[in-house]
Amino acid sequence: MAKRRTVHACQACGAQHPRWHGRCPDCGQWDSLVEETYEAPKAATGTGRGAAGLAARLPTEQEEKPRRLGEIDVDAVPRIPSGEGELDRVLGGGFVPGSVILLGGDPGVGKSTLALQVAGRLAAGGESVLYVSGEESAEQIRLRAERLPGLGSAMQVLTTTRVEALADPWKTLAPRFVVVDSIQTLATEAIESAAGSVAQVRESAAQLAATAKKQGSVLLLIGHVTKDGTLAGPRVLEHLVDVVLTFEGDRAHAFRLLRAVKNRFGSTQEIGVLNMAGHGLEAVENPSELFLEERSTRAPGSCVIPLLEGTRPMLVELQALVAPAPYGTPRRTTLGLEDARVALLLAVLDRRTPIDILSQDVYAKAAGGVRVAEPAADLAIALAIASSRLDRALPADTAAVGEIGLGGELRRVARLDVRRAEAARLGFRRLLVPAVCARELEERASGSAGARKGGRRGGSEQCELVPFEELAQAIAWLEENGVAEPPRRGARRAVD
Ligand code: TYD
Ligand code: MG
């Protein structure tokens, strides 16, 4: 008879303890231990307790023996394009057969839609696809699929919450692509605790991953996120899979960002930008145009920054509003920007430039629901705040990029050439930059122009660089070149 074992598993870190503790001795989290009962498997395996349960029912595809590194053929396993360009970009060129991908995100962000869309397109392209859902009924999936164009009807759909129910279809269909929506709703018989608990999630995912590896299928697991935005379930889940993708976006906005947090087969720098439309998710080729669409060029308190996400430049508008503080302590509120960064920039503005800001309420945000974490955004944030304080709008054709040090000095940013080209493409004629970057770019340009005998003026040179050593100089430039707010034609007059 199988032996029963009781452990206390931490819901935060997944550590197991023989006795209950008020605080997890491993990660220090309070009140996170939950009792779980295991049925010990009959034969122990190398992949963890019973991890081979599902996989063991399938034939072994490859002999496990060592090979010389040089003899391993990489081209033997070509990547499978997902049919969704933005996803391929984030994955580094498509799915790798036998890989396991975890897709996390807030409820309603569009995880199921993305998975269904990719599964449907692969199936329509002739791949064998198995879509497993523990969350939605087969009818709901069909209804959703009807909203999405080009899915075809070849995909196999299985609605279950039992891991073991996948064994047969996995064996008979030999799918190239398997979607599990979501890993928290599935449970294996190997463990007694409820679906969604740490032990269940870990064990179910381990079994599914072992099977995918053995069969050479691509496995896409959808995962829930907790309130603080991390993937629900144990951290081991992230170690177990090859790629961790997060899908984020403001529900109030239609665009969604897809990022790789971990990627064994590619970079984690690239992001994908998608738009949730009435007929599913569509790729956004030009995110800058999307983000700048609603920009008001005449209001003070706005500055555009060419951000860099991976290798991809994106123009984003940063906005600030400065108002006299009616109460003792001024308020600072930010959206999409880091509080600490804005506080630091306010202090630098106050101490290193003539702008008096510490007694003012300051509200700052990145428009469009974008989250800006790059230090290169410093100059644009500071200029947006200064612009609102001075009531002078930056010229509409001007963008700014640069990191600011505590001494008020402007510091180097990476890939100014790419940022400048993107700004030029969207019609910006001036880019305020740290002097050190401008010098470097000029040196490089003159070097390569010499090599090309005279050179040729590229499109990005239509965007003039305006270099500054210090923030105070940039503020002086704003005072000189900024546009005072035109007298408002009041709404009240229109009513009269
Ligand atoms: P869903 O994929 O169910 O999110 P998740 O699986 O991450 O919880 O996303 C559903 C949301 O997207 C829902 O609010 C409706 C919306 N939606 C569209 O706007 N257009 C569409 O074509 C589809 C299928 C969904
Ligand atoms: Mg869903």
Side-chain angles (χ1 to χ4, degrees), residues 440-458:
E440 276 172 7
L441 203 64
E442 231 102 276
E443 271 163 31
R444 219 176 319 145
S446 64
S448 60
R452 275 192 273 113
K453 287 203 193 103
R456 160 177 65 84
R457 286 183 79 80

Side-chain angles (χ1 to χ4, degrees), residues 102-456:
L102 178 64
L103 173 65
D106 288 330
V109 73
K111 302 180 294 296
S112 305
T113 306
L114 181 65
L116 188 65
Q117 218 167 307
V118 169
R121 292 212 192 127
L122 285 172
E127 302 279 7
S128 123
V129 172
L130 177 62
Y131 187 97
V132 182
S133 180
E135 302 214 326
E136 287 160 276
S137 68
E139 291 72 29
Q140 282 173 318
I141 297 169
R142 174 75 203 266
L143 280 177
R144 186 201 297 264
E146 274 170 9
R147 292 176 69 177
L148 311 171
L151 292 200
S153 52
M155 186 170 81
Q156 299 280 340
V157 175
L158 173 68
T159 50
T160 183
T161 52
R162 288 189 319 119
V163 172
E164 283 72 19
L166 269 74
D168 271 342
W170 208 320
K171 193 158 35 173
T172 50
L173 298 171
R176 285 266 271 172
F177 187 65
V178 180
V179 174
V180 172
D181 185 9
S182 64
I183 187 65
Q184 278 87 0
T185 51
L186 252 59
T188 166
E189 288 156 10
I191 281 184
E192 270 187 14
S193 47
S197 69
V198 171
Q200 267 301 352
V201 168
R202 182 180 45 216
E203 191 61 29
S204 305
Q207 289 201 20
L208 293 168
T211 313
K213 289 263 176 319
K214 208 164 188 179
Q215 289 281 76
S217 317
V218 175
L219 173 63
L220 178 68
L221 299 174
I222 293 179
H224 294 169
V225 294
T226 55
K227 261 182 265 155
D228 59 0
T230 51
L231 277 159
R235 284 316 284 253
V236 279
L237 198 54
E238 289 179 28
H239 296 296
L240 201 103
V241 301
D242 300 301
V243 180
V244 180
L245 300 178
T246 61
F247 204 30
E248 46 190 64
D250 205 321
R251 232 181 296 177
H253 293 91
F255 82 91
R256 304 278 185 268
L257 296 182
L258 189 63
R259 292 177 200 273
V261 181
K262 162 183 174 177
N263 190 352
R264 286 195 180 140
F265 315 112
S267 142
T268 52
Q269 297 279 307
E270 294 296 340
I271 69 159
V273 186
L274 296 134
N275 193 24
M276 179 63 95
H279 47 274
L281 291 154
E282 49 194 34
V284 176
E285 307 288 340
N286 288 311
S288 306
E289 276 157 33
L290 178 78
F291 295 143
L292 292 187
E293 225 165 42
E294 292 155 346
R295 185 165 76 110
S296 146
T297 48
R298 295 169 70 189
S302 150
C303 185
V304 171
I305 150 113
L307 282 181
L308 204 60
E309 291 280 3
T311 54
R312 181 186 225 181
M314 280 195 322
L315 293 188
V316 173
E317 183 190 2
L318 303 180
Q319 297 180 321
L321 187 62
V322 176
Y327 308 108
T329 316
R331 282 187 66 148
R332 270 80 218 257
T333 306
T334 67
L335 261 182
L337 303 172
E338 292 162 31
D339 285 345
R341 182 178 300 279
V342 172
L344 195 141
L345 290 171
L346 289 175
V348 175
L349 270 172
D350 194 73
R351 285 295 303 275
R352 311 286 180 206
T353 74
I355 291 189
D356 153 42
I357 195 90
L358 289 188
S359 60
Q360 307 280 318
D361 280 350
V362 177
Y363 305 89
K365 70 175 275 193
V370 191
R371 268 197 289 140
V372 177
E374 249 200 313
D378 285 355
L379 180 59
I381 301 174
L383 281 172
I385 295 170
S387 158
S388 176
R389 180 77 178 108
L390 298 169
D391 245 338
R392 286 191 160 261
L394 267 114
D397 65 352
T398 305
V401 65
E403 188 181 341
I404 297 177
L406 285 184
E409 77 281 10
L410 295 192
R411 298 171 154 251
R412 185 180 280 113
V413 298
R415 303 305 308 272
L416 186 60
D417 48 346
V418 180
R419 300 179 200 259
R420 179 197 202 181
E422 179 71 359
R425 196 176 70 77
L426 280 142
F428 286 85
R429 293 287 158 262
R430 277 177 289 192
L431 183 59
L432 313 188
V433 295
V436 37
C437 282
R439 272 198 300 276
E440 276 172 7
L441 203 64
E442 231 102 276
E443 271 163 31
R444 219 176 319 145
S446 64
S448 60
R452 275 192 273 113
K453 287 203 193 103
R456 160 177 65 84

